[in-house]
Amino acid sequence: MSREEFRPTGPVPGQRPPAGALGLRVRRPNPGQAVLEVSGELDMATAPQLARALDELRSSPDRVLLVDLAGVGFLGSSGLAVLVNLHRELEPGRLLRIVAPSRDAYRAFAVTGLAGELPLYRSYEDALATL
């Protein structure tokens, strides 16, 4: 069984998807942990794709769901809303970690006041260190 799953609409690893597209890649680096790597533009047009991918992860037995926004070039309010909904609806005993290493992505959370409400981390390592 592979530890990685690739979505057919996802980007080629290491490459950003075309403008207006969203790349999604799921990895399972450790048992009980699912990492959703998001790349491209997260806006009103692509937020439904993110919501569907996160719904699939929610149906998995993984206890830790980590959303890695390192490859996101634009993070709009629709994308933020999807992440807020996931955080609010996550079942007890499950953990969400959101990695927003870029200044622009982190700023989107900060200016909306979500940086204090969501489990937000500046690096993948920081997100996993708190487990």
Side-chain angles (χ1 to χ4, degrees):
M1 180 158 123
S2 172
R3 294 179 71 106
E4 296 186 12
E5 300 170 19
F6 291 94
R7 300 218 181 277
T9 59
V12 174
Q15 291 183 357
R16 183 169 266 170
L22 188 68
L24 301 168
R25 177 180 169 208
V26 176
R27 296 185 303 113
R28 288 190 166 78
N30 297 302
Q33 295 179 355
V35 178
L36 177 63
E37 295 177 345
V38 185
S39 59
E41 298 180 1
L42 190 45
D43 56 20
M44 185 171 61
T46 59
Q49 289 174 265
L50 177 65
R52 283 190 297 275
L54 291 173
D55 283 345
E56 287 179 30
L57 284 183
R58 282 185 59 199
S59 67
S60 77
D62 299 300
R63 186 178 81 81
V64 178
L65 305 180
L66 192 142
V67 180
D68 187 348
L69 303 176
V72 172
F74 175 79
L75 178 56
S77 60
S78 297
L80 291 171
V82 169
L83 295 169
V84 167
N85 289 337
L86 173 66
H87 177 65
R88 290 181 178 162
E89 297 169 0
L90 204 59
E91 298 83 8
R94 297 187 84 186
L95 300 174
L96 172 65
R97 299 289 187 260
I98 301 169
V99 177
S102 77
R103 192 173 90 194
D104 291 337
Y106 191 83
R107 187 175 345 152
F109 289 98
V111 300
T112 58
L114 294 173
E117 181 180 336
L118 296 174
L120 192 62
Y121 299 86
R122 296 303 292 259
S123 74
Y124 179 79
E125 293 77 19
D126 289 346
L128 294 180
T130 62
L131 296 178

